[in-house]
Amino acid sequence: MDKNLLKEKIENIESIIYGYLPAEEGKQKDMIEAMNYSLTAGGKRLRPMLILETAKLFGNDISECYPFMTAIECIHTYSLVHDDLPAMDNDDYRRGKLTTHKKYGHAAGILAGDGLLNYAYEVCAKAILKSKDTIRAAKAFDVIAECAGIYGMVGGQSVDVALSGSKVDKETLDFIYALKTGALIKASMVSGAILGGADDKETETIEKISLLIGRAFQIQDDILDVTSTTEELGKPVLSDEKNEKTTYVSLYGVDGATQIVKELTEEAEKLMETLPGDKTFLNDLFEYLIYRKN
């Protein structure tokens, strides 16, 4: 992965997303400040990047993606804000900065997350009304909304929390990963394909790829929780062990989990070969997920 190219793409994505941020004004400005603090705290911007880069494969007007890129990052950020709360992972740092609830208070952490989720849907609704193809935009929104809710990220998180401290079998772990982490990866790539103008068969292929990459990404998180440092990761390590969570590392060890990430990524890259467009960057991005340190 060309680090300079990746940095350039992240900066471009952030310039797009930041253009949609709500103004910090009015009687609720403190809450808006907490929302914006959470959203601008850094990160890989992987999900909006996947929307944009997937859409590029199919040649439609990529500006149609911009509000949906913002929405997916708002949804992802809200999930992190809530994950960090004392009732969940109880973390003090995220991306090397104080977590939202540590900086603004517990109640503000809850409300900032709520605000980000609802703001995501506001942005999508306005985008549908302004879109050149309202049906296509509505389909993209439908995918994002479903993948964020009980049949996606929230559903996976609920099972994860309910079973925390209990031994979990591989089937249940795969279910959690497919929803908790994989669902927003799926939402990103599938909505990107739809907005880019992919046909039904191409969209189905993108969905298969996204599920493979989503699972690989979460397993790599398991590995980093054991092998990385707080400085590299930007958040506490060994949190899975602290919370007595079953992970791919606890089931297969670091070497076994690393091999599974490699196999999943290679399978995704083979499917990518069947799609149109220049796939170089997306393939490099998938490879980057294997070797990332944070």
Side-chain angles (χ1 to χ4, degrees):
M1 168 64 71
D2 183 333
K3 294 296 178 66
N4 289 328
L5 176 60
L6 181 62
K7 183 174 181 287
E8 182 182 312
K9 286 182 178 289
I10 290 172
E11 288 173 351
N12 176 57
I13 287 167
E14 289 185 334
S15 70
I16 292 167
I17 291 172
Y18 293 173
Y20 285 87
L21 295 186
E24 294 174 8
E25 58 189 21
K27 293 187 182 300
Q28 70 275 53
K29 65 179 180 180
D30 290 347
M31 182 49 51
I32 297 171
E33 180 188 324
M35 289 167 58
N36 290 346
Y37 169 82
S38 308
L39 196 64
T40 58
K44 291 175 281 294
R45 309 304 186 190
L46 172 64
R47 290 150 192 84
M49 189 179 296
L50 286 172
I51 291 181
L52 187 62
E53 295 300 326
T54 303
K56 285 179 180 178
L57 297 177
F58 304 101
N60 194 35
D61 179 5
I62 59 170
S63 67
E64 290 275 307
C65 298
Y66 295 172
F68 296 93
M69 291 162 57
T70 302
I72 203 76
E73 193 68 4
C74 284
I75 292 169
H76 172 58
T77 302
Y78 115 79
S79 75
L80 300 182
V81 171
H82 281 185
D83 277 356
D84 291 334
L85 290 168
M88 302 282 273
D89 292 344
N90 195 24
D91 284 328
D92 293 346
Y93 291 92
R94 166 77 63 178
R95 296 166 177 165
K97 297 183 178 182
L98 283 174
T99 51
T100 307
H101 75 275
K102 291 300 291 185
K103 184 172 177 65
Y104 293 97
H106 192 168
I110 295 171
L111 290 171
D114 293 344
L116 284 164
L117 176 61
N118 284 279
Y119 191 68
Y121 294 152
E122 289 178 47
V123 171
C124 285
K126 288 180 174 67
I128 293 168
L129 293 173
K130 295 178 181 177
S131 176
K132 298 172 187 173
D133 189 327
T134 55
I135 297 299
R136 182 181 285 166
K139 285 181 177 178
F141 179 40
D142 179 54
V143 170
I144 289 172
E146 181 174 319
C147 287
I150 56 171
Y151 301 109
M153 180 181 64
V154 172
Q157 182 74 307
S158 68
V159 176
D160 187 34
V161 169
L163 296 176
S164 182
S166 305
K167 287 195 178 296
V168 174
D169 58 39
K170 182 181 178 297
E171 181 183 358
T172 303
L173 192 61
D174 285 344
F175 175 85
I176 292 169
Y177 284 8
L179 272 64
K180 179 184 174 184
T181 302
L184 284 196
I185 302 294
K186 171 186 168 182
S188 302
M189 294 192 71
V190 173
S191 65
I194 292 168
L195 293 165
D199 62 30
D200 289 344
K201 185 177 179 182
E202 290 166 336
T203 303
E204 184 179 334
T205 299
I206 286 291
E207 181 174 351
K208 290 177 181 176
I209 292 168
S210 70
L211 292 173
L212 291 165
I213 293 302
R215 189 169 154 213
F217 188 78
Q218 180 58 55
I219 297 171
Q220 184 66 12
D221 262 4
D222 294 348
I223 295 166
L224 289 174
D225 190 64
V226 175
T227 62
S228 191
T229 65
T230 298
E231 290 72 28
E232 285 180 315
L233 210 53
K235 61 179 181 178
V237 295
L238 302 175
S239 60
D240 291 333
E241 182 180 330
K242 178 183 72 176
N243 294 317
E244 299 181 348
K245 286 186 177 180
T246 301
T247 67
Y248 264 72
V249 172
S250 66
L251 290 176
Y252 300 103
V254 171
D255 290 345
T258 300
Q259 181 59 30
I260 292 169
V261 170
K262 186 173 184 294
E263 290 169 359
L264 290 169
T265 305
E266 287 174 350
E267 187 177 349
E269 288 174 346
K270 285 180 182 178
L271 286 171
M272 284 290 292
E273 292 173 7
T274 68
L275 295 170
D278 184 354
K279 299 169 280 288
T280 305
F281 180 77
L282 273 174
N283 282 331
D284 287 348
L285 183 61
F286 297 159
E287 289 283 341
Y288 166 70
L289 298 182
I290 297 178
Y291 301 110
R292 66 191 168 94
K293 300 296 182 183
N294 54 41

